[in-house]
Amino acid sequence: MARISVDVDGSRYTDEVEPRMLLVQYLRERLGKVGTVVGCDTGNCGACTVHLGGRSAKSCSVLAVQADGQQVTTVEGLARDGELHPVQAAFHDNHALQCGFCTPGMIMQSLDLLAEQPDPDDDQVREGLEGNLCRCTGYQNIVRAVRDAADRMRPGAGPEAERTAAGAQTPHPRESADSAERTGGRQG
Ligand code: FES
Ligand code: FES
């Protein structure tokens, strides 16, 4: 067993884990972060995408021990004070989901894309999301949503714009204010 300490969605967790445990298993089975889903377990679909150390990562391709000492953000850490993050709101408003299974990963990857390219065109969105698959093939609306999110996050676009793409990579709504230290996780 290995001892890890990870900041997930603004809370600190310290746990003993098997060295072979995947980050996605740790998030779902130990922390109950079931908003992060497993679509393939082979690194192909992107459904399990989270942010690790501020960049997107497929959590089925990362060991939990590799997250030790790092900051992890899941889709569950994006909303703030009960209000959807602009990217979440844009996906909702543009009907950018059908079954919704790919959506958590799409949203997390979109945030990474917008941090790199705050005003992407359609091709850049498609390229930025090429590692994420939507089996419902809802790509048109997903591209539309990401471009809408870019508009919403543009400086001067209103209160939502304060939550810039860069800031969105560490969007912990609770930040350090009520960051809880927990030792010994629930057993999955
Ligand atoms: Fe991780 Fe498909 S579940 S890439
Ligand atoms: Fe069903 Fe994308 S909405 S997989």
Side-chain angles (χ1 to χ4, degrees), residues 6-180:
V6 193
D7 183 300
V8 182
D9 294 338
S11 295
R12 174 66 57 92
Y13 300 91
T14 301
D15 277 302
E16 301 280 341
V17 299
E18 292 263 7
R20 65 184 175 181
M21 178 177 250
L22 298 172
L23 178 58
V24 69
Q25 287 179 290
Y26 177 67
L27 293 171
R28 289 177 55 85
E29 297 170 18
R30 286 287 185 89
L31 306 189
K33 297 272 180 185
V34 293
T36 300
V37 297
V38 179
C40 68
D41 225 356
T42 54
N44 288 308
C45 76
C48 64
T49 302
V50 299
H51 288 182
L52 175 63
R55 294 306 308 262
S56 63
K58 291 177 176 175
S59 59
C60 75
S61 303
V62 178
L63 295 169
V65 292
Q66 291 176 287
D68 183 33
Q70 298 216 57
Q71 198 170 63
V72 176
T73 305
T74 77
V75 72
E76 296 178 49
L78 298 183
R80 185 174 291 170
D81 299 329
E83 208 173 296
L84 293 178
H85 185 282
V87 177
Q88 293 175 301
F91 268 68
H92 176 268
D93 294 348
N94 288 277
H95 309 291
L97 60 141
Q98 291 175 58
C99 78
F101 199 81
C102 69
T103 311
M106 285 286 183
I107 287 174
M108 299 312 289
Q109 185 59 31
S110 297
L111 279 164
D112 199 56
L113 156 66
L114 291 171
E116 287 260 309
Q117 172 52 269
D119 189 20
D121 61 26
D122 284 7
D123 288 344
Q124 288 168 322
V125 173
R126 289 178 186 279
E127 192 177 329
L129 295 180
E130 66 184 359
N132 291 67
L133 304 180
C134 174
R135 286 161 223 221
C136 300
T137 65
Y139 294 106
Q140 295 283 27
N141 284 2
I142 289 170
V143 171
R144 199 169 292 136
V146 175
R147 296 197 63 187
D148 181 20
D151 288 341
R152 295 172 190 231
M153 294 165 71
R154 190 164 292 128
E160 286 185 335
E162 291 171 17
R163 300 173 67 180
T164 62
Q169 289 193 335
T170 50
H172 308 302
R174 292 164 293 285
E175 314 242 83
S176 56
D178 64 346
S179 179

